Structure formats: structure tokens, C-alpha cells
Coordinates of all heavy atoms in Angstrom, one line a residue:
S260 N -41.2 -267.5 28.3 CA -42.1 -267.0 29.3 C -43.5 -267.5 29.1 O -43.8 -268.0 28.0 CB -42.1 -265.5 29.2 OG -42.9 -265.0 28.2
L261 N -44.3 -267.5 30.1 CA -45.7 -268.0 30.0 C -46.6 -267.1 29.3 O -46.6 -265.9 29.6 CB -46.2 -268.3 31.4 CG -45.7 -269.6 32.1 CD1 -46.2 -269.6 33.5 CD2 -46.1 -270.8 31.4
S262 N -47.5 -267.6 28.5 CA -48.6 -266.8 28.0 C -49.9 -267.3 28.8 O -49.8 -268.3 29.5 CB -48.9 -267.1 26.5 OG -49.4 -268.4 26.4
K263 N -50.9 -266.5 28.7 CA -52.2 -266.8 29.4 C -52.7 -268.2 29.0 O -53.1 -269.0 29.9 CB -53.2 -265.8 29.2 CG -54.3 -265.8 30.2 CD -55.2 -264.5 30.1 CE -56.3 -264.6 31.1 NZ -55.9 -264.2 32.5
N264 N -52.6 -268.5 27.7 CA -53.1 -269.9 27.3 C -52.2 -271.0 27.9 O -52.7 -272.0 28.3 CB -53.0 -269.9 25.8 CG -54.4 -269.6 25.2 OD1 -55.3 -269.4 25.9 ND2 -54.5 -269.7 23.8
N265 N -50.9 -270.8 27.8 CA -50.0 -271.8 28.4 C -50.3 -272.0 29.9 O -50.3 -273.2 30.3 CB -48.5 -271.3 28.3 CG -48.0 -271.4 26.9 OD1 -48.7 -271.9 26.0 ND2 -46.8 -270.9 26.7
L266 N -50.5 -271.0 30.6 CA -50.8 -271.0 32.0 C -52.1 -271.8 32.3 O -52.2 -272.7 33.1 CB -50.9 -269.6 32.6 CG -51.0 -269.6 34.1 CD1 -49.8 -270.3 34.8 CD2 -51.0 -268.1 34.6
Q267 N -53.1 -271.5 31.5 CA -54.4 -272.1 31.6 C -54.3 -273.6 31.4 O -54.9 -274.4 32.1 CB -55.5 -271.5 30.7 CG -56.8 -271.4 31.3 CD -57.4 -270.0 31.1 OE1 -57.0 -269.3 30.2 NE2 -58.3 -269.6 32.0
Q268 N -53.5 -274.0 30.4 CA -53.4 -275.4 30.0 C -52.5 -276.1 31.0 O -52.5 -277.3 31.1 CB -52.8 -275.5 28.6 CG -53.8 -275.1 27.5 CD -53.2 -274.9 26.2 OE1 -52.0 -275.0 26.0 NE2 -54.0 -274.6 25.2
S269 N -51.6 -275.4 31.7 CA -50.6 -276.0 32.6 C -51.2 -276.3 34.0 O -50.6 -277.0 34.7 CB -49.4 -275.2 32.7 OG -49.6 -274.0 33.4
I270 N -52.4 -275.8 34.3 CA -53.0 -276.1 35.6 C -54.2 -276.9 35.4 O -55.1 -276.6 34.7 CB -53.3 -274.7 36.3 CG1 -52.1 -273.9 36.6 CG2 -54.0 -275.1 37.7 CD1 -52.4 -272.6 37.2
K271 N -54.2 -278.1 36.1 CA -55.3 -279.0 36.0 C -55.8 -279.2 37.5 O -55.0 -279.5 38.4 CB -54.9 -280.3 35.4 CG -54.6 -280.3 33.9 CD -54.3 -281.7 33.4 CE -54.0 -281.6 31.9 NZ -52.7 -281.0 31.6
I272 N -57.1 -279.2 37.7 CA -57.7 -279.3 39.0 C -58.8 -280.4 38.8 O -59.7 -280.2 38.1 CB -58.3 -278.0 39.5 CG1 -57.1 -277.0 39.6 CG2 -59.0 -278.2 40.8 CD1 -57.6 -275.6 39.6
Y273 N -58.7 -281.4 39.6 CA -59.8 -282.5 39.5 C -59.8 -283.3 40.8 O -58.8 -283.3 41.5 CB -59.5 -283.4 38.3 CG -58.1 -284.1 38.3 CD1 -57.9 -285.3 38.9 CD2 -57.0 -283.4 37.7 CE1 -56.7 -285.9 39.0 CE2 -55.8 -284.0 37.7 CZ -55.6 -285.3 38.3 OH -54.4 -285.9 38.4
P274 N -60.9 -283.9 41.2 CA -62.2 -283.7 40.5 C -62.8 -282.3 40.9 O -62.4 -281.7 41.9 CB -63.1 -284.8 41.2 CG -62.5 -285.0 42.5 CD -61.0 -284.7 42.4
N275 N -63.7 -281.8 40.1 CA -64.3 -280.5 40.3 C -65.7 -280.7 39.8 O -65.9 -280.8 38.6 CB -63.6 -279.4 39.6 CG -64.0 -278.0 40.0 OD1 -64.9 -277.9 40.9 ND2 -63.5 -277.0 39.4
P276 N -66.7 -280.7 40.7 CA -66.8 -280.5 42.1 C -66.0 -281.4 43.0 O -65.7 -282.5 42.6 CB -68.3 -280.6 42.4 CG -69.0 -280.6 41.1 CD -68.1 -281.1 40.1
V277 N -65.6 -280.9 44.1 CA -64.7 -281.6 45.1 C -65.5 -282.0 46.3 O -66.4 -281.3 46.8 CB -63.6 -280.6 45.6 CG1 -62.7 -281.3 46.5 CG2 -62.9 -279.9 44.5
T278 N -65.3 -283.3 46.7 CA -66.0 -283.7 47.9 C -65.0 -284.0 49.1 O -65.4 -284.5 50.1 CB -66.8 -285.0 47.7 OG1 -65.9 -285.9 47.0 CG2 -68.0 -284.7 46.8
G279 N -63.8 -283.7 48.9 CA -62.8 -283.9 50.0 C -61.4 -283.4 49.6 O -61.0 -282.3 49.9
K280 N -60.8 -284.4 48.9 CA -59.4 -284.1 48.4 C -59.5 -283.7 46.9 O -60.3 -284.2 46.1 CB -58.5 -285.3 48.6 CG -58.2 -285.5 50.1 CD -57.2 -286.6 50.2 CE -56.6 -286.7 51.6 NZ -57.5 -287.2 52.6
V281 N -58.6 -282.7 46.5 CA -58.6 -282.3 45.1 C -57.1 -282.5 44.7 O -56.2 -282.3 45.5 CB -59.0 -280.9 45.0 CG1 -58.1 -279.9 45.7 CG2 -59.2 -280.5 43.5
T282 N -56.9 -282.9 43.4 CA -55.6 -283.0 42.9 C -55.3 -281.7 42.0 O -56.2 -281.4 41.2 CB -55.5 -284.2 42.0 OG1 -55.7 -285.4 42.8 CG2 -54.1 -284.4 41.4
I283 N -54.2 -281.1 42.3 CA -53.8 -279.9 41.5 C -52.5 -280.3 40.8 O -51.5 -280.7 41.4 CB -53.5 -278.7 42.4 CG1 -54.8 -278.4 43.1 CG2 -53.1 -277.5 41.5 CD1 -54.6 -277.3 44.2
E284 N -52.5 -280.2 39.4 CA -51.3 -280.5 38.6 C -50.9 -279.2 38.0 O -51.7 -278.5 37.4 CB -51.7 -281.5 37.5 CG -51.7 -282.9 38.0 CD -51.9 -283.9 36.8 OE1 -51.2 -283.7 35.8 OE2 -52.7 -284.8 36.9
C285 N -49.6 -278.9 38.2 CA -49.0 -277.7 37.5 C -47.5 -277.8 37.5 O -46.9 -277.7 38.5 CB -49.5 -276.4 38.3 SG -48.9 -275.0 37.4
A286 N -47.0 -278.1 36.3 CA -45.6 -278.2 36.2 C -44.9 -276.9 36.3 O -43.7 -276.8 36.6 CB -45.3 -278.9 34.9
K287 N -45.6 -275.8 35.9 CA -44.9 -274.5 35.8 C -45.2 -273.6 36.9 O -44.9 -272.4 36.9 CB -45.3 -273.8 34.5 CG -44.9 -274.6 33.3 CD -45.4 -274.0 32.0 CE -44.9 -274.8 30.8 NZ -45.8 -274.7 29.7
C288 N -45.9 -274.0 38.0 CA -46.3 -273.1 39.1 C -45.1 -273.0 40.0 O -44.7 -273.9 40.8 CB -47.5 -273.7 39.8 SG -49.0 -273.7 38.8
S289 N -44.6 -271.8 40.1 CA -43.5 -271.5 41.0 C -43.9 -270.7 42.2 O -43.2 -270.5 43.1 CB -42.4 -270.7 40.2 OG -42.9 -269.6 39.6
Q290 N -45.1 -270.1 42.1 CA -45.7 -269.3 43.2 C -46.8 -270.1 43.9 O -47.4 -271.0 43.3 CB -46.3 -268.0 42.6 CG -45.3 -267.2 41.8 CD -44.2 -266.6 42.7 OE1 -44.4 -266.2 43.8 NE2 -43.0 -266.7 42.2
P291 N -47.1 -269.8 45.1 CA -48.2 -270.4 45.8 C -49.6 -270.1 45.1 O -49.7 -269.0 44.5 CB -48.2 -269.9 47.2 CG -46.9 -269.2 47.4 CD -46.4 -268.8 46.0
L292 N -50.5 -270.9 45.2 CA -51.9 -270.7 44.7 C -52.7 -270.2 45.9 O -52.5 -270.7 47.0 CB -52.5 -271.9 44.1 CG -51.8 -272.5 42.9 CD1 -50.9 -273.7 43.2 CD2 -52.8 -272.9 41.8
K293 N -53.7 -269.4 45.7 CA -54.5 -268.9 46.8 C -56.0 -269.4 46.5 O -56.4 -269.3 45.3 CB -54.5 -267.4 46.8 CG -53.1 -266.9 47.2 CD -53.2 -265.4 47.4 CE -51.8 -264.7 47.7 NZ -50.9 -265.4 48.6
L294 N -56.6 -269.9 47.5 CA -58.0 -270.3 47.4 C -58.8 -269.2 48.1 O -58.7 -268.9 49.3 CB -58.2 -271.7 48.1 CG -59.6 -272.3 47.8 CD1 -59.7 -272.6 46.3 CD2 -59.8 -273.5 48.6
L295 N -59.7 -268.6 47.3 CA -60.6 -267.5 47.8 C -62.0 -268.0 47.9 O -62.5 -268.8 47.1 CB -60.6 -266.3 46.9 CG -59.2 -265.8 46.5 CD1 -59.4 -264.6 45.6 CD2 -58.4 -265.4 47.7
N296 N -62.7 -267.5 48.9 CA -64.2 -267.8 49.0 C -64.9 -266.9 48.1 O -64.4 -266.0 47.4 CB -64.7 -267.8 50.5 CG -64.6 -266.4 51.1 OD1 -64.4 -265.4 50.4 ND2 -64.6 -266.4 52.4
S297 N -66.3 -267.0 48.1 CA -67.1 -266.2 47.1 C -67.0 -264.7 47.5 O -67.4 -263.9 46.7 CB -68.5 -266.7 47.1 OG -69.0 -266.7 48.4
L298 N -66.6 -264.4 48.7 CA -66.4 -262.9 49.1 C -65.1 -262.4 48.7 O -64.8 -261.2 49.0 CB -66.7 -262.8 50.6 CG -68.0 -263.3 51.1 CD1 -68.0 -263.2 52.6 CD2 -69.1 -262.4 50.5
G299 N -64.2 -263.3 48.1 CA -62.9 -262.8 47.8 C -61.9 -262.9 48.9 O -60.8 -262.4 48.8
Q300 N -62.3 -263.5 50.0 CA -61.3 -263.7 51.2 C -60.5 -264.9 51.0 O -61.0 -266.0 50.6 CB -62.1 -263.8 52.5 CG -63.0 -262.6 52.8 CD -64.1 -262.9 53.8 OE1 -64.7 -263.9 53.7 NE2 -64.3 -261.9 54.7
E301 N -59.2 -264.8 51.3 CA -58.3 -266.0 51.2 C -58.6 -266.9 52.3 O -58.6 -266.6 53.5 CB -56.9 -265.5 51.2 CG -55.9 -266.6 51.0 CD -54.4 -266.1 51.0 OE1 -54.1 -265.0 50.5 OE2 -53.6 -266.9 51.6
V302 N -58.9 -268.2 51.9 CA -59.2 -269.2 52.9 C -58.0 -270.2 53.0 O -57.9 -270.9 54.0 CB -60.5 -270.0 52.7 CG1 -61.7 -269.0 52.9 CG2 -60.5 -270.6 51.3
M303 N -57.2 -270.2 52.0 CA -56.1 -271.2 52.0 C -55.0 -270.7 51.0 O -55.3 -270.2 50.0 CB -56.6 -272.6 51.6 CG -55.6 -273.7 51.7 SD -56.4 -275.3 51.2 CE -57.4 -275.7 52.5
E304 N -53.7 -271.0 51.4 CA -52.6 -270.8 50.5 C -52.0 -272.1 50.2 O -51.8 -272.9 51.2 CB -51.6 -269.8 51.0 CG -50.5 -269.5 50.0 CD -49.6 -268.4 50.5 OE1 -49.9 -267.2 50.3 OE2 -48.6 -268.7 51.1
I305 N -51.9 -272.5 49.0 CA -51.4 -273.8 48.6 C -50.0 -273.7 47.9 O -49.9 -273.1 46.9 CB -52.4 -274.5 47.7 CG1 -53.8 -274.6 48.3 CG2 -51.9 -275.9 47.3 CD1 -54.9 -274.8 47.4
T306 N -49.0 -274.2 48.5 CA -47.7 -274.3 47.9 C -47.5 -275.7 47.3 O -47.5 -276.6 48.1 CB -46.6 -273.9 48.9 OG1 -46.9 -272.6 49.5 CG2 -45.2 -273.9 48.3
L307 N -47.2 -275.7 46.0 CA -47.0 -277.0 45.4 C -45.6 -277.4 45.6 O -44.7 -276.7 45.2 CB -47.4 -277.0 43.9 CG -48.8 -276.6 43.6 CD1 -49.0 -276.5 42.1 CD2 -49.8 -277.5 44.2
K308 N -45.4 -278.6 46.2 CA -44.0 -279.1 46.4 C -43.5 -279.9 45.2 O -42.4 -280.2 45.1 CB -43.9 -279.9 47.7 CG -44.2 -279.1 49.0 CD -44.4 -280.0 50.2 CE -45.0 -279.2 51.3 NZ -46.5 -278.9 51.1
S309 N -44.5 -280.4 44.4 CA -44.2 -281.1 43.2 C -45.2 -280.7 42.2 O -46.1 -279.9 42.4 CB -44.3 -282.6 43.5 OG -45.7 -283.0 43.8
S310 N -45.1 -281.3 41.0 CA -45.9 -280.9 39.9 C -47.4 -281.4 40.0 O -48.3 -281.0 39.3 CB -45.4 -281.3 38.5 OG -45.2 -282.7 38.5
K311 N -47.5 -282.4 41.0 CA -48.8 -283.0 41.2 C -49.0 -283.1 42.7 O -48.3 -283.8 43.4 CB -49.0 -284.3 40.6 CG -50.3 -285.0 40.6 CD -50.3 -286.2 39.8 CE -51.6 -287.0 39.9 NZ -51.6 -288.2 39.1
E312 N -50.0 -282.4 43.2 CA -50.2 -282.3 44.7 C -51.7 -282.6 45.0 O -52.6 -282.1 44.3 CB -49.9 -280.9 45.1 CG -49.6 -280.7 46.6 CD -48.2 -281.0 47.0 OE1 -47.3 -281.0 46.2 OE2 -48.0 -281.2 48.2
I313 N -51.9 -283.4 46.1 CA -53.3 -283.7 46.5 C -53.5 -282.8 47.7 O -52.7 -282.8 48.7 CB -53.5 -285.2 46.9 CG1 -53.3 -286.0 45.6 CG2 -54.8 -285.4 47.5 CD1 -53.3 -287.5 45.8
V314 N -54.6 -282.0 47.7 CA -54.9 -281.0 48.7 C -56.2 -281.4 49.4 O -57.2 -281.6 48.7 CB -54.9 -279.6 48.1 CG1 -55.2 -278.6 49.2 CG2 -53.6 -279.2 47.5
D315 N -56.3 -281.4 50.7 CA -57.5 -281.8 51.4 C -58.3 -280.5 51.6 O -57.9 -279.6 52.3 CB -57.1 -282.4 52.8 CG -58.3 -283.0 53.5 OD1 -59.5 -282.8 53.0 OD2 -58.1 -283.6 54.5
L316 N -59.5 -280.5 51.1 CA -60.4 -279.3 51.2 C -61.6 -279.7 52.1 O -62.6 -278.9 52.1 CB -60.9 -278.9 49.8 CG -59.8 -278.4 48.8 CD1 -60.5 -277.9 47.5 CD2 -58.9 -277.3 49.4
S317 N -61.6 -280.8 52.7 CA -62.7 -281.3 53.5 C -63.1 -280.4 54.7 O -64.2 -280.4 55.1 CB -62.5 -282.7 54.0 OG -61.4 -282.8 54.8
A318 N -62.2 -279.6 55.1 CA -62.5 -278.6 56.2 C -63.3 -277.4 55.8 O -63.8 -276.7 56.6 CB -61.2 -278.2 56.9
L319 N -63.4 -277.2 54.5 CA -64.1 -276.0 54.0 C -65.6 -276.2 53.9 O -66.0 -277.4 53.8 CB -63.6 -275.7 52.6 CG -62.1 -275.3 52.4 CD1 -61.8 -275.1 50.9 CD2 -61.8 -274.1 53.2
N320 N -66.3 -275.2 54.1 CA -67.8 -275.2 54.0 C -68.1 -275.5 52.5 O -67.3 -275.1 51.6 CB -68.4 -273.9 54.4 CG -68.2 -273.6 55.9 OD1 -68.3 -274.6 56.7 ND2 -68.0 -272.4 56.2
K321 N -69.2 -276.1 52.3 CA -69.7 -276.3 50.9 C -69.9 -274.9 50.2 O -70.4 -274.0 50.9 CB -71.0 -277.1 50.9 CG -70.8 -278.5 51.4 CD -72.2 -279.2 51.4 CE -71.9 -280.6 52.0 NZ -73.2 -281.4 52.1
G322 N -69.6 -274.9 48.9 CA -69.8 -273.6 48.2 C -68.9 -273.5 47.1 O -68.1 -274.4 46.7
V323 N -68.9 -272.3 46.5 CA -68.0 -271.9 45.4 C -66.8 -271.2 45.8 O -66.9 -270.3 46.6 CB -68.8 -271.1 44.3 CG1 -67.9 -270.6 43.2 CG2 -70.0 -271.8 43.8
Y324 N -65.6 -271.6 45.4 CA -64.3 -271.0 45.7 C -63.6 -270.7 44.4 O -64.0 -271.2 43.3 CB -63.5 -272.0 46.6 CG -64.1 -272.2 47.9 CD1 -65.1 -273.2 48.1 CD2 -63.7 -271.5 49.0 CE1 -65.6 -273.4 49.4 CE2 -64.2 -271.7 50.3 CZ -65.2 -272.7 50.4 OH -65.8 -272.9 51.7
F325 N -62.6 -269.9 44.5 CA -61.8 -269.5 43.3 C -60.3 -269.8 43.6 O -59.8 -269.3 44.6 CB -62.1 -268.1 43.0 CG -63.5 -267.8 42.6 CD1 -64.4 -267.4 43.5 CD2 -63.9 -268.1 41.3 CE1 -65.7 -267.2 43.2 CE2 -65.3 -267.9 41.0 CZ -66.2 -267.4 41.9
L326 N -59.7 -270.6 42.8 CA -58.3 -270.9 42.9 C -57.6 -269.9 42.0 O -57.8 -269.8 40.8 CB -58.0 -272.3 42.5 CG -56.6 -272.8 42.8 CD1 -56.4 -273.0 44.3 CD2 -56.3 -274.1 42.1
V327 N -56.7 -269.1 42.6 CA -56.1 -268.0 41.9 C -54.6 -268.3 41.9 O -53.9 -268.6 42.9 CB -56.3 -266.6 42.6 CG1 -55.6 -265.5 41.9 CG2 -57.8 -266.3 42.7
Y328 N -54.0 -268.2 40.7 CA -52.6 -268.3 40.5 C -52.1 -267.1 39.7 O -52.6 -266.8 38.7 CB -52.2 -269.6 39.7 CG -50.7 -269.8 39.6 CD1 -50.0 -270.1 40.7 CD2 -50.1 -269.5 38.4 CE1 -48.6 -270.2 40.6 CE2 -48.7 -269.6 38.3 CZ -48.0 -269.9 39.4 OH -46.6 -270.0 39.3
A329 N -51.1 -266.5 40.3 CA -50.5 -265.3 39.7 C -49.0 -265.5 39.5 O -48.3 -265.9 40.5 CB -50.8 -264.0 40.5
Q330 N -48.5 -265.2 38.3 CA -47.1 -265.3 38.1 C -46.7 -264.2 37.1 O -47.4 -264.1 36.1 CB -46.7 -266.6 37.6 CG -45.3 -266.9 37.3 CD -44.9 -268.3 36.9 OE1 -45.6 -269.2 37.3 NE2 -44.0 -268.4 36.0
E331 N -45.7 -263.4 37.4 CA -45.3 -262.3 36.6 C -46.5 -261.4 36.4 O -47.1 -261.0 37.4 CB -44.7 -262.7 35.2 CG -43.4 -263.5 35.4 CD -43.0 -264.3 34.1 OE1 -43.5 -264.0 33.0 OE2 -42.3 -265.3 34.3
K332 N -47.0 -261.1 35.2 CA -48.2 -260.2 35.0 C -49.4 -261.1 34.7 O -50.5 -260.5 34.4 CB -47.9 -259.2 33.9 CG -46.9 -258.2 34.2 CD -46.8 -257.1 33.2 CE -45.9 -256.0 33.6 NZ -44.5 -256.3 33.5
L333 N -49.3 -262.4 34.8 CA -50.4 -263.3 34.4 C -51.2 -263.6 35.7 O -50.6 -263.8 36.8 CB -49.9 -264.5 33.7 CG -49.3 -264.3 32.4 CD1 -48.7 -265.7 31.9 CD2 -50.2 -263.8 31.4
R334 N -52.5 -263.8 35.5 CA -53.3 -264.2 36.7 C -54.4 -265.2 36.1 O -55.0 -264.9 35.1 CB -54.0 -263.0 37.2 CG -54.9 -263.2 38.4 CD -55.4 -261.9 38.9 NE -56.6 -262.0 39.6 CZ -56.7 -262.0 40.9 NH1 -55.6 -261.8 41.6 NH2 -57.8 -262.1 41.6
M335 N -54.5 -266.3 36.7 CA -55.4 -267.3 36.3 C -56.4 -267.6 37.4 O -55.9 -267.9 38.6 CB -54.7 -268.6 35.8 CG -55.6 -269.4 34.9 SD -55.2 -271.1 34.9 CE -56.0 -271.7 36.3
V336 N -57.7 -267.6 37.2 CA -58.7 -267.9 38.2 C -59.5 -269.1 37.7 O -60.0 -269.1 36.6 CB -59.6 -266.7 38.4 CG1 -60.6 -267.0 39.5 CG2 -58.8 -265.5 38.8
T337 N -59.6 -270.1 38.6 CA -60.4 -271.3 38.3 C -61.5 -271.5 39.4 O -61.1 -271.4 40.6 CB -59.5 -272.6 38.3 OG1 -58.4 -272.4 37.4 CG2 -60.3 -273.8 37.9
K338 N -62.7 -271.7 39.0 CA -63.8 -271.9 39.9 C -63.7 -273.3 40.4 O -63.6 -274.3 39.6 CB -65.1 -271.6 39.2 CG -66.3 -271.6 40.0 CD -67.5 -271.1 39.2 CE -68.8 -271.8 39.5 NZ -69.9 -271.3 38.7
V339 N -63.8 -273.5 41.7 CA -63.8 -274.8 42.3 C -65.1 -274.9 43.2 O -65.3 -274.0 44.0 CB -62.6 -275.0 43.2 CG1 -62.6 -276.3 43.9 CG2 -61.3 -274.8 42.4
V340 N -65.8 -276.0 43.0 CA -67.1 -276.2 43.8 C -66.8 -277.2 44.8 O -66.4 -278.4 44.5 CB -68.2 -276.6 42.9 CG1 -69.5 -276.8 43.7 CG2 -68.5 -275.5 41.8
V341 N -67.0 -276.9 46.1 CA -66.8 -277.8 47.2 C -68.2 -278.3 47.6 O -69.1 -277.5 47.9 CB -66.1 -277.2 48.4 CG1 -66.0 -278.2 49.6 CG2 -64.7 -276.7 48.0
Q342 N -68.4 -279.7 47.6 CA -69.7 -280.2 47.9 C -69.7 -280.9 49.2 O -68.6 -281.4 49.7 CB -70.1 -281.3 46.8 CG -70.4 -280.6 45.5 CD -71.0 -281.6 44.5 OE1 -70.6 -282.7 44.5 NE2 -71.8 -281.1 43.6

């Protein structure tokens, strides 16, 4: 089973800050990831079809977003800056 440390190490997001497309790597992600704005509203749901996915964020307004991944009782939040 996953621990919080394993989960944190298993999700890579780059480049960050993002200017268009972002690469999300996660070999152990079986659930969709949610991208929330600074108000906590979901702006995008990202389903990874492979362990490495390129996601286009160019339609989003500039600002700070939070990529949330939850699996079992674990929850990981990563700050993503869109420029």
C-alpha cells in the first residue's frame, strides 16, 4: 500500500511554473487528479492514461492552482503556478 512519502515521490509535475503544457508523471496514480483554483473550485479533472501525461493548461488564467490527488486515505496537494 502507499504511504504519504511514497505518494509524494511518485508524482512529478514539471515545468512548474507552467506556461502552457505541463508534464505529470505518476506510475501509481489510479484515480483522476483534480486541479483546483485558489478558491478551491475544481477547474479540471485529469485522468492519466499512462504513467507520463502531457496536459495543456494554456486555457487557464494565470495564477496559483492546486493539483490534488487522493487515493485510499491519502491525499496529496501540489501547488502549480500558471504564468
Side-chain angles (χ1 to χ4, degrees):
S260 80
L261 281 174
S262 72
K263 197 168 180 81
N264 263 0
N265 286 355
L266 186 60
Q267 220 131 22
Q268 290 165 356
S269 69
I270 299 178
K271 292 185 177 70
I272 298 157
Y273 57 90
N275 192 1
V277 183
T278 52
K280 290 185 167 75
V281 66
T282 301
I283 300 172
E284 282 186 43
C285 184
K287 298 176 179 151
C288 291
S289 57
Q290 303 295 320
L292 296 102
K293 295 186 187 317
L294 191 66
L295 309 180
N296 63 17
S297 57
L298 302 174
Q300 298 162 320
E301 186 179 321
V302 292
M303 187 181 286
E304 185 173 273
I305 303 160
T306 301
L307 300 180
K308 296 171 196 69
S309 65
S310 60
K311 185 174 177 179
E312 197 84 22
I313 296 172
V314 181
D315 188 355
L316 301 181
S317 60
L319 296 176
N320 293 325
K321 294 177 183 179
V323 175
Y324 293 83
F325 298 94
L326 190 68
V327 179
Y328 182 72
Q330 183 175 326
E331 296 163 24
K332 292 188 173 76
L333 295 174
R334 181 179 158 97
M335 203 204 84
V336 180
T337 305
K338 186 168 143 184
V339 178
V340 178
V341 175
Q342 291 186 330

